[in-house]
Amino acid sequence: MQIHSPDSVQLIELRDRMLQSTLRTEDCPFAIRDEYPIVLSPSKTQFSHVAVQQGEVIAHLNIWPRHLVDQTGQPVARIGLIGNVATHPGWRGQGIMRQMFHWLEREHGHPEFDAMV
């Protein structure tokens, strides 16, 4: 299994299909990418992370870096908001998301972020 940002049009399409079918069990009039353009846009793949096994996207999560500020507007902490967490039904129960979170912590846990939310 490889974990990385989707680096091709094909992986982005596979990611979107997996997220749409996993997170939207009922028909939706718009694509999940349109609902979350900040983190799922094809031009923002640095926020999206996929687990790929044999050319199939089997899991996904995104992290959106943010700054917490105090009352004066001064940054006090850099955090990462995590969302669109999904594992393909056929791959659930195998610890894939646990591996993705460990990978995410290694890649983004420090010193870039003070916390992941």
Side-chain angles (χ1 to χ4, degrees):
M1 178 179 71
Q2 296 178 323
I3 302 171
H4 54 82
S5 292
D7 54 3
S8 69
V9 172
Q10 179 186 13
L11 270 182
I12 291 169
E13 289 174 4
L14 290 171
R15 174 205 67 188
D16 290 354
R17 264 187 269 160
M18 192 276 293
L19 287 174
Q20 193 79 27
S21 67
T22 304
L23 298 178
R24 300 291 177 265
T25 55
E26 68 283 340
D27 284 337
C28 190
F30 48 85
I32 196 163
R33 181 192 306 176
D34 297 336
E35 186 173 352
Y36 299 100
I38 293 173
V39 292
L40 295 180
S41 166
S43 65
K44 305 285 186 173
T45 59
Q46 73 270 25
F47 302 130
S48 176
H49 304 288
V50 293
V52 179
Q53 181 73 30
Q54 299 172 346
E56 178 185 2
V57 173
I58 61 174
H60 175 271
L61 59 79
N62 59 258
I63 184 165
W64 187 31
R66 307 300 302 146
H67 283 97
L68 293 179
V69 297
D70 64 17
Q71 300 89 331
T72 67
Q74 295 300 309
V76 295
R78 185 165 164 85
I79 64 168
L81 302 176
I82 296 172
N84 295 311
V85 176
T87 302
H88 186 282
W91 291 90
R92 291 180 184 160
Q94 300 180 39
I96 293 166
M97 195 53 64
R98 183 179 311 122
Q99 291 176 50
M100 288 191 76
F101 274 101
H102 286 301
W103 175 87
L104 189 65
E105 188 173 34
R106 283 192 311 275
E107 293 293 312
H108 296 285
H110 56 78
E112 194 173 336
F113 296 109
D114 297 316
M116 289 186 284
V117 180

